[in-house]
Amino acid sequence: MADILGLVLPFFGLILLGWVAGKRVKQPAEAMGWLNIFIIYLALPALFFKLVARTPFDELTRFDFILSTLAVTYTIFAIAFLLGRVLRRASVAEATMQGLAAAYGNIGYMGPGLALLAFGEKAAVPVALIVCFENALHFAVAPTAMAIAARGSGKPGGGLALVGTIAKRIAFHPFILAMVAGFAFAGFGVKVPEAAQRLVDYLAQAAAPCALFAMGVTLALRPLKRVPAEIGYIVPLKLIVHPALMYLGLSLVGGFDPVWVWSAVLLASLPTATNVFVIGQQYGVWPERASATVLLTTACSVVTITGLLVLIRSGALAADLFP
């Protein structure tokens, strides 16, 4: 337990420090711009490139793992979407936001740092695969669903322009570009020159602390105004059902290294991504509730993630339900 606390407390402590700084230091939200650019365009891509480029190529083509994790995540999305439509009589756009809130975890900012600390370098490949492929799918689902909702309400939207925008956003996202470059270096056995590798290492080392601090500041700048009723099913879906279903799904498929299973389960247990708020704000759908969901799931995840790591480290959960 002491090892788990030694792992979790500094990790969430960085988020807390960012939150305190955001509350105490009077700076506008725009002041975060350059830090976010550094994280999204430099530090995290450098980390993903570093992890992927030195990995055996056959491990990078585990499409059984990729498809299994995506299937579980979008099962959670479908459940939350249907609950929103049936229980809350939500519109298609609002139900889409609820689905994203339950399925889109903070895998970019929190995932790599926490998984590598918990499970070591062997977690690098599954984390990189999940982050890149899930992000690519989220980038496609959100605008597509919003375009469908707009057409249903009589507003203009969709068409070939939308398809082109989605394809461009996926193809040129820094995470995807870093992943492709890593694939190329791994596939052709190219070694990064020492000076360039040192720069990549510096950037990669800054990724986790900067991302966690920035996340804390972002949470502080979006105060909780009210607790949405949808929290009643979104929080358990995101923090409990998602990791449980990920564990069950990967066990059913079988054949995965235990570290790959635990990495996927850990990433599934992460709180709602701040990107869900950004999407809500972009489309003018559910932004305040999205902000509240990010804050509440992040606060609750301190307990749920700690509990999950205790179960994994203690051996209380087998790495495969069906050995």
Side-chain angles (χ1 to χ4, degrees):
M1 188 62 189
D3 289 342
I4 299 297
L5 291 176
L7 172 77
V8 172
L9 289 180
F11 189 87
F12 282 103
L14 279 167
I15 299 176
L16 178 61
L17 287 173
W19 185 85
V20 171
K23 287 292 186 182
R24 299 290 297 175
V25 180
K26 300 303 179 185
Q27 291 287 340
E30 292 77 11
M32 288 291 293
W34 287 109
L35 179 58
N36 284 327
I37 287 173
F38 173 76
I39 295 165
I40 295 170
Y41 288 90
L42 295 172
L44 284 173
L47 176 61
F48 294 139
F49 172 79
K50 176 182 176 180
L51 298 179
V52 173
R54 62 188 187 192
T55 301
F57 190 72
D58 59 332
E59 290 188 23
L60 298 174
T61 54
R62 290 295 304 269
F63 292 106
D64 52 346
F65 178 80
I66 295 165
L67 293 175
S68 298
T69 55
L70 289 176
V72 169
T73 294
Y74 272 84
T75 297
I76 296 296
F77 174 90
I79 292 170
F81 182 92
L82 291 173
L83 287 174
R85 293 284 283 168
V86 174
L87 295 182
R88 300 293 300 163
R89 299 289 189 266
S91 67
V92 170
E94 289 173 340
T96 297
M97 292 302 302
Q98 293 181 38
L100 289 171
Y104 192 174
N106 214 321
I107 52 177
Y109 275 24
M110 296 179 69
L114 186 55
L116 290 172
L117 282 173
F119 308 124
E121 288 292 318
K122 289 184 71 176
V125 179
V127 168
L129 291 175
I130 289 172
V131 169
C132 290
F133 282 95
E134 278 201 13
N135 269 318
L137 194 54
H138 292 318
F139 297 157
V141 166
T144 301
M146 292 303 174
I148 292 171
R151 284 195 167 187
S153 63
K155 297 177 182 178
L160 291 176
L162 174 65
V163 174
T165 299
I166 293 171
K168 186 184 295 184
R169 187 177 179 191
I170 293 172
F172 292 100
H173 191 278
F175 294 176
I176 308 299
L177 290 174
M179 187 83 170
V180 170
F183 264 92
F185 273 70
F188 291 105
V190 179
K191 187 175 181 181
V192 181
E194 184 177 349
Q197 184 61 58
R198 193 169 297 167
L199 175 61
V200 169
D201 290 342
Y202 286 158
L203 290 169
Q205 289 163 10
C210 288
L212 294 171
F213 180 83
M215 181 181 167
V217 175
T218 302
L219 292 173
L221 297 178
R222 295 171 188 156
L224 180 62
K225 295 181 179 178
R226 68 188 181 98
V227 178
E230 297 88 341
I231 283 291
Y233 53 84
I234 290 176
V235 170
L237 276 173
K238 184 70 211 74
L239 301 182
I240 298 173
V241 180
H242 193 178
L245 195 60
M246 186 67 74
Y247 175 52
L248 177 61
L250 293 180
S251 295
L252 282 169
V253 175
F256 301 118
D257 185 291
V259 172
W260 284 51
V261 175
W262 295 139
S263 297
V265 171
L266 180 61
L267 264 63
S269 73
L270 296 178
T272 302
T274 52
N275 275 350
V276 175
F277 167 77
V278 174
I279 293 168
Q281 199 169 44
Q282 178 182 354
Y283 291 100
V285 178
W286 220 64
E288 288 187 5
R289 296 183 184 189
S291 177
T293 303
V294 171
L295 180 58
L296 290 170
T297 54
T298 301
C300 293
S301 71
V302 178
V303 175
T304 56
I305 290 174
T306 302
L308 175 63
L309 289 172
V310 168
L311 290 174
I312 292 173
R313 287 289 190 92
S314 68
L317 288 178
D320 193 336
L321 275 175
F322 312 104

